[in-house]
Amino acid sequence: FAQVAKSMGAVDSTVNLGLSILPSNIMIAGIFIIACFISLSVGTSMGTIVALVPIAVGVAEKTGIVTAIAVAAVVCGAMFGDNLSMISDTTIAATRTQGCEMKDKFKMNFRIALPAAVLTIFLLLVIGQPSAAADLQELDYSLLKVFPYIAVLGLALLGANVFLVLTAGIFLAGFIGMASAELTVITFAQNIWNGFMGMGEAFFLALFCGGISEMIAYYGGIEWLISKLRKMIKGNKSAQLGIAALVSLTDCATANNTVAIIISGGVAKDISNEYGIDSRRSASLLDIFSCVFQGIIPYGAQLLTASALASKNGAVINAMEIIPHMWYCWLLAIFGILSIYIPYADGGLKKERAKE
């Protein structure tokens, strides 16, 4: 879906639409919002970073904004969607390992991610003020080309099966692309193929990680890990902190948030069952804290790609310069921890359990 939508001009139209309606004094905050929307729609942080970092660098050069802040705004928005999107690989991995519905996990995550995103926008509005107005000239866009993203988001929020949602999105994007002469039947099929092939590495990586996890469990590694964690866990809240710490450390070790969730998922499920943590809550914790660390480790694919693209477009920066400005990830970690102790963040789980 991401490949077909990009090939028919959906990404370009979405970016140009956003930049066209945004005043120059809120341009960096606007880039963050655009990145949030694109990553939420396509379910991939990497695709969002590749599409938007060159634009953010250009805007930073024209407005006098620190380039690292502009690039960080893109990566922050990309991690927002990676964490929340219902067609993201992290969401699918978290919900499958914990045995809950994606829409329920989305509701749980949204309560935590929204305040972090709002505060990030505020910081970008204050700190990301341009010293000069950006002259972006006339930007072409088509509302029809943005529609596949809106349709996929809407169907996912309604709780439709993720495979049906994505299949519908593929054919909708393909039809619009052929109607606008951006695609032919042949190029449509080629883009579907290229999209599948682009996921090959992720498929094999997930299979290998699943096999490694099963071998670890067979030889007693999972039991050992649970026994060590159990010594530090005193109840429900410390168990939630244990799940957050487990997936965070795993992500730091693997530098891949999806893999971290797959490896940690079985242990998290066992801890949840033992200490009465709702599956929606454990899925939310896995996704949130894996995305937090994936967005701030300097050797992660997101920051490495962002810094490489920025340098390629004339701004020489490295991942370490971006990390201090990854405000969304830092705030998400704070709100994630606070949610363990603040009742409102449970999304009404206690009331639902009482009814059950």
Side-chain angles (χ1 to χ4, degrees):
F1 169 68
Q3 181 68 32
V4 172
K6 182 180 179 182
S7 67
M8 56 78 90
V11 173
D12 290 338
S13 281
T14 301
V15 172
N16 289 346
L17 172 62
L19 294 177
S20 296
I21 62 178
L22 289 170
S24 59
N25 62 328
I26 63 167
M27 192 65 73
I28 297 302
I31 286 175
F32 169 73
I33 294 170
I34 295 170
C36 289
F37 177 77
I38 292 177
S39 58
L40 196 62
S41 303
V42 301
T44 167
S45 56
M46 294 300 294
T48 304
I49 290 168
V50 169
L52 284 180
V53 163
I55 294 171
V57 171
V59 169
E61 289 177 351
K62 292 177 180 179
T63 58
I65 294 170
V66 177
T67 304
I69 294 177
V71 174
V74 173
V75 183
C76 285
M79 297 315 297
F80 174 88
D82 198 342
N83 172 224
L84 274 179
S85 176
M86 283 188 281
I87 57 173
S88 167
D89 47 2
T90 57
T91 292
I92 294 169
T95 53
R96 294 292 180 179
T97 57
Q98 302 307 297
C100 65
E101 294 293 327
M102 286 184 282
K103 62 178 181 180
D104 293 329
K105 177 259 181 190
F106 173 85
K107 293 175 184 176
M108 184 74 60
N109 266 26
F110 191 70
R111 286 172 165 265
I112 301 167
L114 181 61
V118 169
L119 278 176
T120 300
I121 293 171
F122 175 76
L123 288 170
L124 289 171
L125 287 173
V126 174
I127 302 174
Q129 283 292 321
S131 57
D135 180 18
L136 299 176
Q137 301 175 355
E138 190 173 345
L139 298 168
D140 295 326
Y141 61 86
S142 167
L143 291 175
L144 187 62
K145 291 181 179 180
V146 180
F147 183 68
Y149 289 155
I150 298 171
V152 165
L153 272 176
L155 289 171
L157 286 170
L158 289 172
N161 180 277
V162 65
F163 292 105
L164 292 177
V165 169
L166 290 174
T167 302
I170 288 169
F171 283 101
L172 180 60
F175 177 78
I176 293 173
M178 288 185 278
S180 60
E182 297 286 347
L183 297 174
T184 64
V185 173
I186 300 299
T187 56
F188 175 49
Q190 287 174 338
N191 277 288
I192 292 175
W193 172 254
N194 291 336
F196 276 126
M197 293 304 292
M199 289 298 296
E201 182 179 343
F203 287 148
F204 284 111
L205 193 58
L207 288 170
F208 280 122
C209 287
I212 291 171
S213 298
E214 190 62 29
M215 289 178 65
I216 292 171
Y218 180 81
Y219 286 105
I222 300 298
E223 291 181 5
W224 178 85
L225 186 57
I226 291 175
S227 68
K228 293 295 182 182
L229 284 172
R230 190 177 285 117
K231 293 178 181 178
M232 297 180 284
I233 294 174
K234 306 300 181 183
N236 182 281
K237 295 187 186 301
S238 58
Q240 292 184 54
L241 286 174
I243 291 173
L246 174 64
V247 75
S248 299
L249 292 171
T250 306
D251 185 76
C252 290
T254 61
N256 186 304
N257 47 348
T258 305
V259 171
I261 291 170
I262 293 171
I263 292 175
S264 307
V267 180
K269 184 63 175 174
D270 290 339
I271 293 173
S272 299
N273 290 338
E274 183 169 348
Y275 291 95
I277 301 171
D278 191 281
S279 60
R280 293 163 287 186
R281 180 67 179 150
S282 58
S284 177
L285 289 170
L286 285 173
D287 207 342
I288 284 172
F289 285 93
S290 65
C291 286
V292 163
F293 280 86
Q294 188 63 29
I296 59 176
I297 53 174
Y299 49 90
Q302 283 76 6
L303 286 183
L304 289 176
T305 301
S307 58
L309 283 169
S311 299
K312 189 177 179 180
N313 285 271
V316 182
I317 61 173
N318 58 53
M320 294 301 294
E321 294 176 74
I322 302 172
I323 293 173
H325 307 293
M326 289 297 296
W327 298 315
Y328 172 72
C329 288
W330 297 113
L331 289 168
L332 185 62
I334 292 169
F335 281 105
I337 294 171
L338 287 176
S339 71
I340 296 173
Y341 299 96
I342 300 175
Y344 93 94
D346 67 2
L349 289 179
K350 293 180 180 178
K351 292 181 181 178
E352 290 181 25
R353 283 196 293 266
K355 291 179 181 178
E356 292 171 0

